[in-house]
Amino acid sequence: MEPDRRRSARVDPGAGRRRGGVLFDAVLLDRDGTLIEDVPYNGDPEKVRPMPGARAALDRLRTAGLRLGVVTNQSGLARGLFTAAQLAAVHARVEELLGPFDSWRVCPHDDDAGCPCRKPAPGLVHAAAADLGTTAGRCVLVGDIGRDMAAALAAGATGILVPTPVTRGEEVAAAPYVAATLPTAVEEILRRQAAVTPARPRRGGTVLLVRADSAGDVLVTGPAVRAVAAHAERVLLLCGPRGREAARLLPGVDEIVEWPLEWIDPDPAPVQPRRVEALLRRLTALAVDEAVIFTSFHQSPLPLALLLRLAGVPRVSGISDDYPGSLLDVRHRVPPGVPEPERALSLAAAAGYALPAPDQPRLRLRRDAVPPPPPGLDEPGYLVLHPGSSATSRACPPELAARIVGVLAGAGHRVVVTGGPDERELTASVAAAGGVDLGGRTGLAELAGIIANAGALVVGNTGPAHLAAALGVPVVSLFAPTVPFGQWGPYRVPAVRLGDADAPCRDTRATRCPVAGHPCLAGLDPGAVLAAVRLLGVPPVAGRSTAAARAVVPAGGGGGR
Ligand SMILES: [Zn+2]
């Protein structure tokens, strides 16, 4: 990849955190079809035509303190369709029309060169981020095709697709976020940035946070928990039994209050007056100064807000499109499509709490809560396949999981198969294809210890995907589209999305697959998983047979999912 040294600015690495916001330092833009009209293999500056509204939109980003980079595939160079001098003239014309960019990164190679920079590879994104004194995780990439989104994801950056008439339908369906135009993409970037900054910052006393769902839900709330904890005397986290193990892994939690909430739990018990009265007594006894109720976009904070009111909690914050009457003091609203961690961070901000500057808005775990991996897995770089899920609609079909293990092992990877205590049969049959079976032998913390040493995790949309994100381990996401990928995909960690994004189960929120044959994942080619592992830069472990890894002595324990 070639930086244009004449243009790439020297940038102060700390500047973004001071000038920019909590979320982003820089916006990277694809060139053809995003900044300017796509004229194939153009070497003529006279043919440069900006996309509508581009100049004003870019100036808004510049004014907001965000740095700008261009990341563009120009295989016309490799094919001799234009010269480097012509390309430079085109880029000079682009800057004349659209203003200066702080970094230009160009891949001059053809598809068959196997270079690390041609999108969908993440090389250009990493290089541009480095030019701009930041990391890919703190960048947004705006582009018009699937390759741009894949490169953004593979780098751990935020992707926004602005389709043109030539963008394919499946690329639109798979994108983490879709904006109609470049100006609306810019509007969304600035809105998200502003949404995590409190208008009125405050110091908290004892704050009760609530996230009453599964492990994954608790993990994605982590950045918001840390935001509150940074400015409060004491933080209590109310979670359900399914979320307790995850709550113990979160930095910033002083005390866990476990209680299943009948209006949140996916398999709820009937409402019993005795139980509700007991919860009310418990909430009253906590004597907290305020409460912040975190929910998913399909859950309501209002039943608990009523109980908190009855328990005398003086200040209650929550996200509610439904009219809350006097149940909420801070009623926050979030448009669809925002990643869950940012959605929660925006509620924390609405309640008065922001992440302090050195803390990054990514998922994190308490270091002291993650044990080392079991003996035999001390050499890092293996792949972990977690075929199950708390919801069967989001699980990898067992037969496919076995074929994936076979393909990965055949390519020289060590593969470890993990699963919960009720998934032992599943993991045994999957691991038989060439992996090590650790099914049913890890709690969530032990599972985190195993994932921490992995080169990548292959998993559906379920809790362990968020564990990997929190550990900075790349994810091959076998994503059933029952909920939006942009909201629930692995956050700020290198990832590849696989599976049919436009399958009939899309946006159904179904916990059991509503379509015969589970087509969103069943049709997946195991070779695509191997290609994804390569795109994420995970090499096979040379000289280590799986027999060595089979010598693993698993620790006891119950439950990760
Ligand atoms: Zn290249």
Side-chain angles (χ1 to χ4, degrees):
M1 74 206 85
E2 298 186 347
D4 187 330
R5 288 190 183 78
R6 286 172 300 117
R7 290 208 188 76
S8 293
R10 287 254 164 247
V11 181
D12 170 10
R17 289 297 281 177
R18 294 194 297 274
R19 292 189 307 162
V22 173
L23 294 181
F24 307 120
D25 294 330
V27 179
L28 311 180
L29 300 118
D30 169 57
R31 198 193 81 175
D32 300 326
T34 302
L35 286 175
I36 59 174
E37 287 175 14
D38 186 11
V39 179
Y41 307 115
N42 180 28
D44 179 0
E46 294 307 309
K47 291 186 183 156
V48 173
R49 301 268 179 280
M51 296 298 276
R55 175 70 201 238
L58 295 170
D59 283 344
R60 287 188 72 193
L61 295 173
R62 292 180 180 113
T63 303
L66 287 155
R67 276 161 274 148
L68 303 182
V70 183
V71 287
T72 177
N73 285 354
Q74 295 296 336
S75 63
L77 273 177
R79 299 181 202 182
L81 298 172
F82 49 78
T83 65
Q86 284 175 311
L87 185 68
V90 166
H91 288 176
R93 179 64 178 154
V94 172
E95 290 206 326
E96 205 178 302
L97 293 167
L98 295 178
F101 292 89
D102 304 300
S103 167
W104 283 83
R105 283 284 175 170
V106 177
C107 167
H109 309 112
D110 213 338
D111 255 334
D112 51 14
C115 69
C117 48
R118 184 166 167 82
K119 294 177 285 183
L124 292 180
V125 180
H126 288 303
D131 287 344
L132 301 173
T134 187
T135 56
R138 300 189 54 82
C139 293
V140 185
L141 170 55
V142 183
D144 67 322
I145 58 172
R147 278 175 180 255
D148 297 313
M149 297 303 101
L153 280 180
T158 297
I160 297 184
L161 183 80
V162 179
T164 70
V166 302
T167 309
R168 295 190 317 221
E170 61 262 36
E171 295 178 327
V172 177
Y177 190 87
V178 179
T181 63
L182 181 55
T184 55
V186 164
E187 181 67 35
E188 175 66 9
I189 291 165
L190 296 175
R191 192 197 62 72
R192 282 197 204 172
Q193 187 95 304
V196 297
T197 308
R200 281 176 298 280
R202 65 190 259 128
R203 297 278 329 159
T206 299
V207 185
L208 176 68
L209 306 181
V210 182
R211 186 70 202 234
D213 212 336
S214 303
D217 305 87
V218 170
L219 292 173
V220 298
T221 312
V225 171
R226 302 199 308 268
V228 175
H231 309 282
E233 282 165 25
R234 192 168 162 72
V235 167
L236 284 59
L237 179 63
L238 190 159
C239 65
R242 297 164 201 269
R244 187 190 174 86
E245 276 194 286
R248 294 166 65 112
L249 298 177
L250 288 189
V253 177
D254 295 304
E255 185 182 335
I256 295 169
V257 180
E258 182 181 328
W259 204 283
L261 301 180
E262 287 82 0
W263 53 94
I264 299 287
D265 198 282
D267 189 19
V271 172
Q272 295 176 319
R274 245 173 355 101
R275 290 283 299 160
V276 176
E277 285 156 19
L279 173 57
L280 185 52
R281 282 196 301 275
R282 182 86 188 268
L283 294 173
T284 306
L286 293 175
V288 299
D289 300 307
E290 68 173 299
V292 184
I293 308 171
F294 296 99
T295 45
S296 299
F297 68 108
H298 54 273
Q299 298 168 340
S300 172
L302 298 182
L304 186 66
L306 175 61
L307 291 177
L308 290 166
R309 275 285 179 258
L310 294 173
V313 177
R315 186 175 192 256
V316 182
S317 305
I319 300 174
S320 187
D321 282 330
D322 293 327
Y323 174 63
S326 56
L327 298 184
L328 296 178
D329 301 284
V330 177
R331 179 213 193 172
H332 183 53
R333 300 179 84 169
V334 184
V338 177
E340 285 288 314
E342 286 176 30
R343 193 172 185 276
L345 267 176
S346 77
L347 174 59
Y353 304 100
L355 268 186
D359 198 353
Q360 295 292 317
R362 51 176 294 254
L363 311 192
R364 280 207 288 124
L365 305 180
R366 286 174 47 166
R367 286 195 194 139
D368 61 344
V370 179
L377 292 182
D378 34 353
E379 189 181 321
Y382 47 83
L383 301 175
V384 176
L385 174 69
H386 192 90
S389 169
S390 58
T392 56
S393 62
R394 296 187 260 119
C396 179
E399 178 271 342
L400 172 64
R403 282 162 60 215
I404 291 172
V405 169
V407 167
L408 295 176
H413 288 280
R414 281 184 297 151
V415 184
V416 173
V417 182
T418 55
D422 51 348
E423 294 169 340
R424 284 169 186 258
E425 217 174 298
L426 166 70
T427 59
S429 72
V430 170
V436 178
D437 179 16
L438 290 185
R441 284 171 281 189
T442 55
L444 200 68
E446 291 77 26
L447 183 58
I450 291 168
I451 293 172
N453 246 3
L457 171 67
V458 182
V459 67
N461 174 24
T462 188
H466 305 297
L467 275 186
L471 293 159
V473 171
V475 178
V476 178
S477 176
L478 313 175
F479 197 92
T482 53
V483 293
F485 179 81
Q487 288 174 230
W488 287 101
Y491 186 64
R492 291 202 175 200
V493 71
V496 173
R497 176 187 185 163
L498 296 177
D500 180 1
D502 217 6
C505 64
R506 184 178 171 97
D507 294 338
T508 58
R509 297 185 219 157
T511 51
R512 288 169 187 280
C513 182
V515 189
H518 199 14
C520 65
L521 293 178
L524 190 74
D525 171 13
V529 176
L530 181 60
V533 166
R534 287 185 179 141
L535 190 72
L536 292 169
V538 184
V541 181
R544 287 275 297 195
S545 69
T546 45
R550 273 179 214 282
V552 168
V553 183
R561 68 160 187 97

